[in-house]
Amino acid sequence: HSLTYYYVAAEQEMARGEDANDLPPATVAAINSAVRNYAPLNGLQLQSGFFPTTDQETEASGRLDRALSATESVMLRYALTNGRNVNDAFNTDDLTDLSGRGSSFVDDNSLNGTLTSVPRSNLLNAASFELAQRRVADRTQTAKTPGFIVTGIASFGAPYRGNDRHVETQAEISDAITVQQHRHLLRFGGRFDHIAERAATPDGAQGTFIFANLAALQTGTASTFTQSFGSFNTNFAAIRIAAFAQDHWTPTSTLAVDAGVRYEVNRLPAQLPQDATNFSPRLGLAWTPLHALVVRGGFGLFFDHFELATLNRVLEFDGTHAAQQLVDGPVATATYQSGTTLTAPLAGVAPSIWTAQPGLRNPYSEVGSLSVERELPLQTTLTAEYQFVHGVHLGRSSNVNLTPPVNGLFSAARANTAYDAVNQFATEASSSYNGGTLTVNRQFQDDLQIMAGYTFSKTIDDASYDGEQPQNPFDLRAERALSLQDQRQRFTLSGLWLIGPDLGDPADAVKNANPGPLMKALTGFEFAPIVSLASGFRENAVTGLDTNLEHIYPFAARPAGYGRNTLATPAQLNVDLRVLRMVAIGPGHLDIVAESFNLINHRNIALLNTAFGASAAPLSSFSQPIATGDARRIQFSLDYEF
């Protein structure tokens, strides 16, 4: 007979707060006085004091499971998530004025389903589909005036990025067949994924002026001016196709071997031709040489997909739809002092464009791991694991239109005189990760468990994201350094303590049916603390200006004596605690929950001021903190389960 199960859940969160930039009052007064001299800001004045922030999120989901027959069942699931974030979404560092702060709206909808069939006792087929759409709209407080950056001092006006819209629609179908044959569990399957992207990304459309220091702003002497022109709307699709076959083989009771191969390809728009030989073999094993010892190991290739934001940039700023201009020195100063907002490109200035390397390769990782797990007395397990990850054909960008520099400076000569910068996206970067982890798990009793883990790792790369550009495209070796994602050490201690019987487990409730007075008062409390202590992340020191005349934005020039990613944020400490009280009501139980994040209110530095300045001596604010993680936050919720 048919059986139907359903599940529905909804959740609403809202947080209101206040924030402020950390600009000294004297700096705010000097900037407000300076910008009155010229018209482009249209009277904009920097914010003083606190301003409101809002974070709001709505989540809803529903699931339906139905047994169609003894051999078939179907599952349908719908999920909705939307969030509104006002004045606190991006550009939230201490140097950014309210005018450059970002607000965002994100809306996610997804519907997926699976039809599971068991035509024979040794055969399982699972056919799935998913339809999903994400809508994102980003806005800054000011979107119509030019943007202004006083290097290492302040940022205000419309920022270079932050006023865009994206609609991403995804349709996916897949099928997987599982067959049991003696000691072999065979799986075969495939997937087809169509992703449509519509976007409007007017990066730099209002223009951005960069000043070397506060004195330069006061005299109206701009170092660089950049502005984008054209049509910023894009509409394209990417197709992902994958197929796999694998075998889980258990030749003996102490050994299991997994072997398989996967093929996948990204079909990109015709302007972005790429290689399609993306076969990825994988091998893994689990061996139990002793009763209390398990050894696991594996190696495989794992392909990734291209970031849609990167593809969008290449298709948008192709020189036909849109392009960018960048001028410096007297031309930048004259543009600022003219007091007008440009509505058309400057005459005689070559445009800068984006393009893609011919024959793009799909990025992938070579992953190898080895772990040993040992069972110790007193319900304790000890696990030691080593993992190696080699990233291959990762994305990077560089200006390929330059001629070799002389004494660290690029000349005005260009390989293709029709353009200024030709920013080429290529899949030529690489990375390596080596990490060792030691984990101890101790279960004192059924309802008390503690786990501690320590990781020591090192990550090296020559580009940490697709848009990262080298200081010198003719010396890419100099870019090999610690990655922005490098986090050398991390220690985590977590626990779970449930007092009394689990009200959600009838057998446990029967076993503890006659508690004493104290136990009766404490029964139903659950404590879940997490303590984490970790090294900081890397930061890349830059001059904050186009000091090597590379004519790219954002700038990539580093100060003398500083290699790539040589700065680092301090260690991070977090203490989180979740306290739950279960109260039996009717056929279920009510959960009264209090959750605290950063309970000890530790000041965790998130960002440093990486702008050194153009002088031999650094700015006084160089390498100082300009953003911190969340302060102590406590939230409460009520849940009823039945």
Side-chain angles (χ1 to χ4, degrees):
H1 62 279
S2 297
L3 295 175
T4 301
Y5 301 89
Y6 66 90
Y7 169 83
V8 177
E11 183 176 323
Q12 175 73 52
E13 297 180 12
M14 176 177 287
R16 298 183 185 275
E18 291 184 323
D19 207 345
N21 62 47
D22 200 31
L23 300 175
T27 299
V28 172
I31 292 175
N32 285 339
S33 175
V35 298
R36 294 191 190 103
N37 297 326
Y38 300 97
L41 276 179
N42 295 322
L44 177 68
Q45 297 285 280
L46 270 63
Q47 172 77 24
S48 296
F50 287 95
F51 51 83
T53 63
T54 303
D55 293 282
Q56 178 180 323
E57 184 172 290
T58 302
E59 298 179 1
S61 63
R63 174 169 171 167
L64 177 68
D65 290 83
R66 181 173 177 83
L68 303 178
S69 67
T71 60
E72 288 188 323
S73 64
V74 65
M75 182 277 292
L76 289 174
R77 182 179 182 273
Y78 170 74
L80 159 72
T81 302
N82 69 53
R84 297 178 184 272
N85 186 298
V86 180
N87 295 336
D88 203 31
F90 52 92
N91 295 343
T92 57
D93 62 81
D94 293 342
L95 304 185
T96 301
D97 177 63
L98 176 62
S99 57
R101 278 246 177 172
S103 301
S104 70
F105 170 77
V106 180
D107 182 68
D108 288 305
N109 289 269
S110 69
L111 174 67
N112 59 67
T114 302
L115 174 63
T116 303
S117 305
V118 188
R120 298 199 308 268
S121 60
N122 69 332
L123 178 63
L124 172 70
N125 185 79
S128 302
F129 79 92
E130 180 176 12
L131 299 174
Q133 185 178 82
R134 161 167 282 200
R135 294 183 296 140
V136 179
D138 293 331
R139 289 290 180 271
T140 58
Q141 275 284 338
T142 301
K144 299 300 183 182
T145 69
F148 288 75
I149 296 173
V150 183
T151 300
I153 303 297
S155 173
F156 51 97
Y160 181 79
R161 293 193 177 100
N163 292 286
D164 48 36
R165 301 188 313 274
H166 299 268
V167 178
E168 180 180 318
T169 305
Q170 180 173 341
E172 177 186 314
I173 57 173
S174 63
D175 190 78
I177 300 172
T178 304
V179 182
Q180 178 75 54
Q181 290 288 345
H182 305 294
R183 294 181 178 271
H184 296 269
L185 184 66
L186 306 172
R187 294 195 71 215
F188 311 90
R191 187 191 75 187
F192 177 86
D193 195 2
H194 182 275
I195 303 171
E197 179 82 4
R198 289 187 291 115
T201 313
D203 291 349
Q206 300 305 320
T208 302
F209 290 96
I210 295 94
F211 296 85
N213 47 48
L214 194 54
L217 177 66
Q218 291 171 321
T219 60
T221 307
S223 294
T224 301
F225 172 70
T226 180
Q227 187 170 355
S228 302
F229 301 92
S231 171
F232 304 107
N233 298 312
T234 54
N235 190 346
F236 64 95
I239 296 174
R240 302 170 186 164
I241 303 171
F244 73 92
Q246 69 180 51
D247 180 18
H248 177 74
W249 176 41
T250 52
T252 70
S253 60
T254 61
L255 179 64
V257 180
D258 288 278
V261 64
R262 183 181 180 91
Y263 173 78
E264 50 194 296
V265 63
N266 284 336
R267 300 293 298 174
L268 305 179
Q271 306 96 306
L272 304 169
Q274 81 276 357
D275 186 86
T277 55
N278 303 325
F279 287 94
S280 52
R282 299 168 189 183
L283 179 66
L285 62 86
W287 177 41
T288 310
L290 301 173
H291 173 70
L293 181 67
V294 180
V295 179
R296 298 181 177 89
F299 178 81
L301 304 186
F302 297 84
F303 279 89
D304 201 352
H305 53 78
F306 293 97
E307 292 185 9
L308 295 180
T310 301
L311 304 183
N312 183 79
R313 187 183 302 117
V314 173
L315 296 174
E316 178 183 4
F317 289 96
D318 60 355
T320 300
H321 296 88
Q324 181 183 15
Q325 284 189 332
L326 188 148
V327 294
D328 45 29
V331 179
T333 297
T335 303
Y336 176 65
Q337 294 187 359
S338 69
T340 60
T341 300
L342 297 183
T343 58
L346 290 167
V349 178
S352 294
I353 63 170
W354 280 80
T355 186
Q357 174 192 47
L360 291 173
R361 299 291 301 274
N362 256 68
Y364 68 89
S365 296
E366 300 169 343
V367 180
S369 64
L370 178 65
S371 70
V372 179
E373 182 177 311
R374 174 76 179 185
E375 183 179 348
L376 303 175
L378 303 176
Q379 299 188 81
T380 302
T381 58
L382 176 65
T383 305
E385 180 181 12
Y386 166 75
Q387 187 173 66
F388 168 76
V389 181
H390 179 212
V392 183
H393 294 305
L394 305 182
R396 74 170 331 143
S397 303
S398 59
N399 182 0
V400 297
N401 205 32
L402 298 169
T403 58
V406 177
N407 297 324
L409 298 178
F410 294 96
S411 71
R414 295 293 182 259
N416 183 346
T417 56
Y419 300 105
D420 184 4
V422 177
N423 302 293
Q424 184 186 78
F425 169 66
T427 49
E428 294 181 341
S430 64
S431 67
S432 64
Y433 168 88
N434 286 275
T437 301
L438 192 66
T439 305
V440 179
N441 192 334
R442 171 76 188 276
Q443 187 159 344
F444 292 88
Q445 56 190 33
D446 289 345
D447 301 322
L448 177 59
Q449 180 178 347
I450 293 179
M451 184 173 68
Y454 170 73
T455 299
F456 182 81
S457 63
K458 186 176 183 179
T459 307
I460 297 175
D461 62 24
D462 46 23
S464 297
Y465 54 94
D466 285 356
E468 182 175 354
Q469 298 222 26
Q471 178 176 239
N472 182 359
F474 296 92
D475 185 16
L476 297 180
R477 279 188 166 186
E479 300 302 305
R480 193 74 177 173
L482 293 174
S483 171
L484 290 177
Q485 280 75 50
D486 178 69
Q487 187 176 51
R488 194 57 49 88
Q489 301 182 74
R490 183 177 182 84
F491 172 77
T492 303
L493 177 66
S494 61
L496 177 63
W497 183 24
L498 174 62
I499 302 178
D502 184 352
L503 299 182
D505 184 349
D508 197 22
V510 171
K511 184 174 64 176
N512 298 271
N514 297 303
L518 179 61
M519 182 59 69
K520 182 179 293 186
L522 296 177
T523 291
F525 273 101
E526 179 182 280
F527 300 89
I530 300 177
V531 179
S532 64
L533 177 62
S535 304
F537 287 96
R538 311 304 300 185
E539 295 266 25
N540 187 37
V542 293
T543 62
L545 299 162
D546 192 22
T547 48
N548 61 356
L549 304 180
E550 193 174 357
H551 270 217
I552 60 171
Y553 187 79
F555 307 127
R558 294 189 288 269
Y562 283 83
R564 178 173 168 266
N565 300 344
T566 50
L567 301 179
T569 59
Q572 312 282 303
L573 173 63
N574 265 301
V575 178
D576 301 334
L577 177 64
R578 182 175 188 264
V579 180
L580 180 148
R581 177 70 159 92
M582 289 185 288
V583 180
I585 299 178
H589 58 89
L590 177 69
D591 294 345
I592 305 171
V593 184
E595 294 178 290
S596 61
F597 303 91
N598 192 11
L599 181 61
I600 62 175
N601 205 28
H602 183 74
R603 184 172 180 255
N604 290 310
I605 305 303
L607 290 175
L608 302 178
N609 185 352
T610 60
F612 184 94
S615 302
L619 297 169
S620 60
S621 58
F622 173 65
S623 77
Q624 296 302 303
I626 58 171
T628 59
D630 290 337
R632 180 193 295 119
R633 187 171 86 250
I634 300 176
Q635 61 187 40
F636 302 91
S637 64
L638 295 174
D639 303 297
Y640 183 67
E641 297 184 16
F642 61 95

